[in-house]
Amino acid sequence: MDPKDTIPRGDGFVLPRGPEAPDDSAISERDFIGYSQLVASLYRCLNDNSGFQPFFDAFQSHFRCLQGGILGLTLAPIHMMYGWTFGYPEGFEQWFINSGLPRKDEALKTFAALPPRHFDSLLGGDASMEILDLLTEETRAWAAEAGLGDSAGMLVTRGRDAQIVFLANRHRSEGPYSRQEILQMNLLAPHIENAINLHHKLYHTRADNSSLSAALDLVGKPMLVFNELAQVAQLNASAREVLRDHPRLFVTDGPAPVLRSRHAGFNEELMAAIATSVFNARLNVHDTVTLVDGSGDERLALCFTPLQDDGGHGQGALAELICFSSSRDVDEDRLRALFDCTVAESRTAALLMRGLTSDQIAGAEALSIHTVRQYIKSLLSKNGYRRQAELVAALVRALG
């Protein structure tokens, strides 16, 4: 590709411009920059206990939202226990908590029923639909008075007794959320989950947590923090357990521990991914770098996210470890619903999850290598991923 036909991204990769740019279902360069800024504002909220207002401000501006927030809810029936909100009139939260409306709110019920870390909207991008027709009588009057046009949201996490839902309403003058906007929200979804879980552990437990690193010990997901020297500053108990049993990955002993692999080729990729994320934090680039250890039946995806302090200075990187089995049957109906793909594309995605290469998928499915590559290209474009490893990690996170 001619250099004049590309857009540098700041991390060694380029994006096509002009006639080779992705279609309307893919994320544009402008939207990708906006997404990166949202990720940065989200993780900066972990620097104090004041909540998520900086992220809400950025989210509201980027997606032209009317109001929304992060709500802690009981399971059945749904009652609101707490929340961080934006855009509502003063006193609304207290009224809403005591009104009994949460258990009758169609948006909350819809989003709470979604798979975790998956955004959707009530109208599904259909401008011919009227949101008031989808609401109960109890909530219709409030929605009409507020000028509600659409609502998007996700289930952040669900525990034994409670759940957390993120939602964002939009005024009817803005029209419904588009498919591309929901796509961008789904790229944010795992970061929203991580940030909310870590904020809870840092500021809303009885433990004495003084830093993001210490909070990891109270988070169930296997996670590590790397400092600016690419050393392991902290790994939680879940990560220790994963690495203890892993045949290749390990953390070295000594005063400057690092994450390494016994497989020489993968070790080079691992060191490059960590260093890239650390440098991205310093350079204000907020891409997630994803690797998948593909040896054997038991697989491990590593997702690295740059970390910055409130002043925008690099603070290292956060890594999430996702374990899965390559031989486990994949729920292809759910796969198609979550990743907007055809039956043929879902078969390719399922085999990608199991670690097969394009050539191996072509042989297994009796397809040409060109057809398989087109399926993968379509999956990447539809879901906003730039690299195949990122797509595989998203598949594993949702279905593994």
Side-chain angles (χ1 to χ4, degrees), residues 49-233:
N49 65 353
S50 60
F52 291 89
Q53 193 58 51
F55 172 66
F56 288 155
D57 292 342
F59 191 97
Q60 187 175 21
S61 174
H62 186 82
F63 292 107
R64 307 187 314 282
C65 303
L66 176 66
Q67 58 209 189
I70 298 165
L71 307 181
L73 308 165
T74 57
L75 290 178
I78 293 178
H79 292 286
M80 181 174 163
M81 300 181 295
Y82 63 86
W84 296 281
T85 62
F86 63 91
Y88 292 104
E90 184 176 353
F92 173 85
E93 293 87 348
Q94 294 89 331
W95 170 79
F96 192 63
I97 288 173
N98 294 289
S99 67
L101 286 181
R103 65 178 179 271
K104 303 173 184 177
D105 190 293
E106 289 302 315
L108 287 181
K109 290 194 289 186
T110 298
F111 304 144
L114 291 172
R117 303 174 299 278
H118 175 71
F119 270 97
D120 206 346
S121 70
L122 290 184
L123 296 186
D126 187 348
S128 67
M129 294 179 64
E130 172 58 56
I131 195 170
L132 297 182
D133 294 337
L134 304 177
L135 304 180
T136 61
E137 183 177 349
E138 292 87 350
T139 57
R140 193 178 298 125
W142 169 82
E145 182 179 352
L148 192 66
D150 197 4
S151 184
M154 67 173 275
L155 172 66
V156 179
T157 186
R158 180 184 290 118
R160 184 176 61 183
D161 302 314
Q163 57 195 345
I164 300 174
V165 170
F166 181 98
L167 66 84
N169 297 328
R170 172 176 270 183
H171 195 271
R172 58 174 172 260
S173 63
E174 297 288 355
Y177 288 106
S178 68
R179 181 177 174 278
Q180 187 182 56
E181 287 172 322
I182 297 300
L183 169 65
Q184 293 176 58
M185 292 181 190
N186 275 316
L187 290 177
L188 283 170
H191 299 293
I192 292 173
E193 180 200 28
N194 285 341
I196 291 174
N197 284 340
L198 288 167
H199 195 282
H200 269 273
K201 302 308 180 184
L202 273 166
Y203 304 113
H204 299 277
T205 68
R206 295 181 180 179
D208 182 17
N209 294 313
S210 59
S211 69
L212 173 61
S213 299
L216 293 185
D217 277 328
L218 296 174
V219 176
K221 297 169 61 176
M223 302 180 81
L224 303 88
V225 168
F226 298 88
N227 62 23
E228 287 196 278
L229 300 177
Q231 300 164 350
V232 176

Side-chain angles (χ1 to χ4, degrees), residues 16 36 47 102 112 171 174 212 231-232 244 282 309 333 338 389:
S36 297
N47 288 298
H171 195 271
E174 297 288 355
L212 173 61
Q231 300 164 350
V232 176
R244 182 192 64 208
R282 297 173 189 168
D309 63 19
D333 289 338
L338 293 179

